[in-house]
Amino acid sequence: MLIAYRLLLGLAMVVAFLFGTLVLLTGKGDAMSGGSSVRTTFKGKASFDDYMTRILLIGGVSFMLLLLALDVVGNHLPK
């Protein structure tokens, strides 16, 4: 169990670093402006922002799931 805990912890640290770096590099700064740009669902080819949004969503969800698994494994470690 200790090996699984350490592997999950290392993986969570890598995902957290990558996720944080991507958020800082791709931040637009207008997130609180109310979304003045209109986005449509059927606009053709996906842009860079669409890809980054998908990558950030996957990174955030995977980080949360890793931390949940880390908590479950950590609670089953011998005290």
Side-chain angles (χ1 to χ4, degrees):
M1 249 334 166
L2 188 59
I3 294 172
Y5 182 79
R6 288 185 179 172
L7 285 174
L8 284 172
L9 183 61
L11 188 59
M13 289 172 62
V14 168
V15 170
F17 177 76
L18 291 174
F19 180 68
T21 303
L22 284 175
V23 166
L24 288 175
L25 291 177
T26 61
K28 291 183 179 180
D30 61 351
M32 297 299 286
S33 66
S36 60
S37 65
V38 176
R39 301 187 71 159
T40 61
T41 305
F42 305 106
K43 62 178 180 178
K45 206 172 175 186
S47 68
F48 177 74
D49 287 338
D50 294 331
Y51 288 125
M52 290 310 298
T53 300
R54 181 170 292 180
I55 289 171
L56 288 172
L57 178 66
I58 292 170
V61 169
S62 64
F63 182 66
M64 287 189 291
L65 291 175
L66 277 169
L67 289 183
L68 181 63
L70 193 62
D71 184 50
V72 169
V73 171
N75 283 331
H76 287 89
L77 287 176
K79 305 224 186 269

